[in-house]
Amino acid sequence: MPDRARIVRKYDLTEDVRFFQVRICDQEKVFPLTSTYSPGQFMMISLPYVGEAPFSITSTPSRPGLFEFCIRKVGRLTSKLFELEENDFIWLRGPFGNGFPVEKMIGKDLLFVAGGLGAAPLRSLLLYALDNRDLFGKLFYLHGARTPRDMLFREEFFQLKQRKDFQCYLTVDEDPEGNWPFDKGVVTSLFKYVKVNPKNTAAVVCGPPVMYKYVVEEFIKLGIPDANIYMTLERKMKCGMGKCGQCVVGHKYVCVDGPVFTLWDVKNIKGLI
Amino acid sequence: MRLFKIKRENLIPFLRGLEGFGELWGPVKKGESFVYARAKPEDFDMTALRTIIPAKKFFLPSKFTSLKFKDNRWEDDYRPRKRVIFGLHPCEIHALNIYHKFYTRLYPDPYYLRAKAATLVVGLSCIPDEHCFCYATGTSTVNEGFDLFLTDLGDRFLVWVGSPRGEDSLKLVEKFLQEASQEDIHKYVSWRKKRDASFRLKIDLDGMPEIVSFSYDSPIWEKMGKACLSCGTCTMVCPTCTCFDLEDEYDLRRDEMKRERFWYSCVFREYSMVAGGHNFREARSERLKLWYTHKLVGFMSEYGSPACTGCGRCVVSCPVGINVVSVVKALKNEETAALWVKMEVENA
């Protein structure tokens, strides 16, 4: 049964992507739900009369109380979500999915590569790592967007870049207004800055489908093992509980066996990417 | 082991007695085929083999209201009626066992569990026809998953009790029951020999998981894709297909929203299409490959057996002859008469 939740804050991240902060209405459930999930998990958001769809959680369990989502206006449900105001209600089920295996990443260097909306699930893990900074080795975050206007969490990353204990590199494909102060070019061009111990690194990528191949090639060039390369995938999902079948790939249900998979899974299970 | 027998002439009063548990449903003739219908026991067809739609419809109906939304509140009032389902053959019960494993793992499905609790399964033995291949899937005999199982020995039926609920239900029909004797067991043994000798369709599923996996890039999927009509019949008639879709419907009359849950098919084009229009399986061949890998490989690795029980429904239903038999034969380079195998494709 979906839980009612209130939109407590919303603002636009780009022209078509909006940030939502929501709070579960049932006080008893707020803390258990918002403090125990894994970065990389997702929730089913539903609006009665419209439908239900999966969305990555972009907040971190290390900052409980609220769930955060970034949502691109792309279909029927998301268009309706964009009509909602602060204090309006939505309904949530979840969290679902395997999430990132945070325990396996402890003690390792972390390398994040985000493209476009792929920043949404990666932000959850990044903030988690920054909140638990001592648990991890070096921390590199590479983020690419089409233009400065399309970069999610732009201001947040400008702020985070100030932190001395992690390396954040931002790039844009094009800079039509000509005032972008950082790198230009595709996200793989940022790999020149990366200095990690490849055998003891967990690499994470999320972005548009075309991006995976090129980024994974860079990971392999660095010498990171298949089992330490993680990617989080998108599929159509209706139930989130490994039942409706619409996210099936091979014999895996992306909603319960994923959405986080290793490069080995991707090589082994045909059709994942 | 609890084993009884009833006289043939007592079968109808026996079934009528079981109605004390719930509505009586069983196989009746419809046109050239059979369907499970609510009927009087005298109208049941004792020769029926596969029904058009399998018994999964009793456990998760083809369409039902999973949730209602009214006055800002969600409500789940799905309450299946109590039913006795008569005439399920071993392949059907094996399929229900797969269904059970699937729907009770990880996040048990509350709708399924309610229907399961409301349904008394009364199995019935059968003699295979030319489309049955349950001997090849190891599902020609069933040991669990039924409440009662009847074996037709001509002048009598053996009644095998498979669950405590089955045992309880026998209290409704106690007066027809007799203990099974050694002679009955002998009769059963010779019936079984006769039954095992009457399979006509020759097929061997051995090697299926890895041969399907190794054949990922085989041109046979293209051939199938060219012939397939994406009609979805295979998935509707398959007793182990579980996929469904959800859609919100507004009921104007009652001013409430209903979240309808209905059977869905991986061969439909929209199945793997996400918002924004990206389709992860645009080609029909990709969707068929998913169906066959899921049936013959996926279930093997998750549950230890293929999700095919040899019922032959795909064999008699697919309008272009794409079915487990023709696909397995084609994958194993064996002769098959299926039309789709002759399709011309570029990379063949």
Side-chain angles (χ1 to χ4, degrees):
Chain A
M1 202 84 74
D3 281 308
R4 193 162 68 144
R6 190 186 289 277
I7 299 173
V8 293
R9 189 152 180 245
K10 63 160 177 104
Y11 55 83
D12 288 342
L13 292 169
T14 71
E15 246 172 42
D16 59 351
V17 179
R18 188 169 288 176
F19 180 75
F20 291 87
Q21 265 186 344
V22 304
R23 186 172 168 96
I24 304 270
C25 295
D26 184 345
Q27 188 59 33
E28 306 252 301
K29 289 187 175 174
V30 171
F31 192 75
L33 282 180
T34 58
S35 65
T36 56
Y37 63 93
S38 300
Q41 284 196 291
F42 63 91
M43 296 201 81
M44 301 296 293
I45 297 184
S46 84
L47 289 177
Y49 309 97
V50 188
E52 196 176 38
F55 295 91
S56 295
I57 303 169
T58 192
S59 50
T60 162
S62 52
R63 302 177 192 180
L66 300 165
F67 280 119
E68 294 171 348
F69 302 95
C70 21
I71 294 172
R72 172 171 284 157
K73 187 175 172 179
V74 65
R76 208 154 47 107
L77 178 69
T78 49
S79 300
K80 278 284 174 206
L81 284 169
F82 269 58
E83 288 171 18
L84 297 181
E85 298 295 335
E86 284 171 3
N87 294 313
D88 283 346
F89 294 122
I90 61 172
W91 278 261
L92 299 177
R93 286 193 301 127
F96 294 121
N98 58 354
F100 293 104
V102 177
E103 309 76 40
K104 285 193 194 164
M105 296 178 169
I106 288 172
K108 291 194 169 80
D109 293 346
L110 298 185
L111 169 56
F112 295 84
V113 181
L117 201 52
L122 292 200
R123 177 177 177 265
S124 178
L125 184 63
L126 177 69
L127 295 181
Y128 183 89
L130 290 172
D131 289 346
N132 297 282
R133 187 64 190 86
D134 298 344
L135 295 179
F136 304 95
K138 288 182 199 155
L139 231 163
F140 282 85
Y141 182 83
L142 318 180
H143 185 167
R146 257 176 310 176
T147 69
R149 282 168 168 276
D150 293 316
M151 180 162 283
L152 302 184
F153 303 109
R154 199 172 41 232
E155 279 73 25
E156 187 174 310
F157 287 123
F158 290 173
Q159 289 293 321
L160 284 174
K161 266 174 89 69
Q162 311 298 320
R163 263 178 84 150
K164 295 281 178 281
D165 58 355
F166 106 110
Q167 313 293 311
C168 177
Y169 298 97
L170 310 173
T171 183
V172 292
D173 297 346
E174 288 163 45
D175 179 22
E177 283 154 39
N179 51 15
W180 179 250
F182 307 113
D183 288 75
K184 288 192 200 85
V186 293
V187 72
T188 43
S189 67
L190 298 175
F191 273 83
K192 58 179 182 267
Y193 301 117
V194 174
K195 287 186 181 58
V196 291
N197 171 10
K199 294 287 169 248
N200 194 37
T201 295
V204 184
V205 54
C206 186
V210 289
M211 202 183 86
Y212 287 87
K213 189 172 159 240
Y214 299 104
V215 172
V216 166
E217 271 172 23
E218 296 293 331
F219 289 156
I220 293 169
K221 251 190 255 172
L222 280 172
I224 300 169
D226 282 9
N228 288 359
I229 296 176
Y230 299 97
M231 42 199 93
T232 155
L233 305 181
E234 178 197 11
R235 280 297 182 283
K236 184 177 174 187
M237 297 172 187
K238 287 290 179 127
C239 71
M241 304 193 274
K243 299 286 183 285
C244 78
Q246 302 195 33
C247 65
V248 166
V249 183
H251 59 284
K252 295 291 180 194
Y253 284 76
V254 174
C255 67
V256 291
D257 301 312
V260 176
F261 290 95
T262 65
L263 180 58
W264 162 246
D265 294 329
V266 168
K267 284 181 178 172
N268 192 37
I269 305 159
K270 296 277 176 64
L272 269 180
I273 63 169
Chain B
M1 168 61 59
R2 299 278 287 158
L3 196 61
F4 299 95
K5 67 175 163 186
I6 56 170
K7 289 188 183 139
R8 186 168 201 96
E9 60 264 32
N10 283 337
L11 178 69
I12 286 168
F14 173 86
L15 291 173
R16 220 177 269 140
L18 289 180
E19 260 186 301
F21 180 90
E23 292 172 5
L24 185 60
W25 290 63
V28 296
K29 186 123 189 161
K30 187 174 183 184
E32 294 295 295
S33 311
F34 300 97
V35 292
Y36 289 112
R38 193 179 175 190
K40 293 198 208 85
E42 43 272 44
D43 295 334
F44 291 158
D45 195 312
M46 298 300 289
T47 64
L49 283 175
R50 64 194 70 76
T51 53
I52 301 172
I53 297 292
K56 67 179 180 183
K57 72 175 184 181
F58 297 110
F59 294 88
L60 285 163
S62 55
K63 187 176 182 191
F64 68 96
T65 302
S66 67
L67 287 175
K68 285 180 182 167
F69 186 80
K70 195 178 180 163
D71 303 328
N72 249 348
R73 273 168 41 109
W74 293 91
E75 192 189 328
D76 161 12
D77 63 0
Y78 175 71
R79 297 288 176 276
R81 299 195 299 277
K82 286 193 94 177
R83 289 183 178 130
V84 179
I85 319 293
F86 169 70
L88 284 80
H89 298 312
C91 60
E92 188 87 288
I93 296 168
H94 273 282
L96 292 180
N97 290 346
I98 291 173
Y99 225 63
H100 183 78
K101 275 188 209 162
F102 178 80
Y103 275 113
T104 52
R105 72 155 195 172
L106 228 57
Y107 298 90
D109 189 302
Y111 308 102
Y112 167 77
L113 291 174
R114 271 174 237 164
K116 170 95 179 149
T119 310
L120 190 80
V121 171
V122 183
L124 178 65
S125 65
C126 46
I127 298 293
D129 70 2
E130 70 275 23
H131 302 302
C132 291
F133 57 101
C134 53
Y135 71 93
T137 48
T139 51
S140 61
T141 310
V142 68
N143 300 309
E144 57 175 4
F146 54 86
D147 297 295
L148 300 171
F149 192 92
L150 275 54
T151 304
D152 185 348
L153 297 179
D155 59 347
R156 70 201 88 166
F157 287 87
L158 279 189
V159 181
W160 181 359
V161 188
S163 74
R165 196 172 55 177
E167 179 81 14
D168 287 345
S169 71
L170 287 184
K171 294 194 181 99
L172 300 163
V173 289
E174 229 157 9
K175 60 183 174 210
F176 305 115
L177 298 174
Q178 290 168 274
E179 288 291 330
S181 66
Q182 272 310 311
E183 190 225 331
D184 296 322
I185 312 301
H186 288 312
K187 249 193 134 173
Y188 174 81
V189 172
S190 39
W191 169 83
R192 202 174 187 284
K193 277 187 188 149
K194 194 184 114 202
R195 195 278 311 262
D196 290 351
S198 49
F199 285 99
R200 280 169 276 166
L201 180 64
K202 297 286 172 243
I203 178 178
D204 185 1
L205 264 69
D206 191 38
M208 255 320 109
E210 82 275 14
I211 292 174
V212 181
S213 301
F214 293 172
S215 308
Y216 193 84
D217 297 320
S218 161
I220 82 155
W221 307 110
E222 286 291 323
K223 293 183 180 192
M224 253 181 257
K226 254 191 148 175
C228 175
L229 308 170
S230 285
C231 66
T233 300
C234 50
T235 53
M236 301 300 146
V237 303
C238 179
T240 66
C241 268
T242 49
C243 292
F244 62 84
D245 200 11
L246 294 162
E247 212 163 84
D248 287 4
E249 279 177 15
Y250 184 53
D251 186 337
L252 272 173
R253 207 156 35 89
R254 302 173 134 182
D255 187 27
E256 65 182 17
M257 190 283 292
K258 298 194 286 189
R259 183 155 288 169
E260 296 292 294
R261 175 166 157 177
F262 49 92
W263 295 356
Y264 200 45
S265 173
C266 60
V267 301
F268 292 163
R269 188 170 166 266
E270 299 77 16
Y271 183 82
S272 297
M273 190 151 75
V274 291
H278 182 72
N279 195 334
F280 287 94
R281 272 181 282 263
E282 181 71 44
R284 276 194 297 259
S285 57
E286 289 296 315
R287 304 199 290 271
L288 287 165
K289 200 188 294 188
L290 171 73
W291 201 82
Y292 283 96
T293 42
H294 198 200
K295 291 279 166 208
L296 301 174
V297 187
F299 261 76
M300 280 302 261
S301 47
E302 297 285 316
Y303 302 100
S305 62
C308 173
T309 64
C311 72
R313 284 190 179 87
C314 54
V315 181
V316 300
S317 304
C318 177
V320 295
I322 302 173
N323 55 58
V324 171
V325 175
S326 66
V327 171
V328 167
K329 288 199 170 177
L331 284 167
K332 294 177 92 170
N333 301 321
E334 290 167 17
E335 200 63 32
T336 155
L339 278 177
W340 64 267
V341 181
K342 294 171 186 67
M343 286 282 165
E344 306 261 336
V345 293
E346 272 167 33
N347 58 349

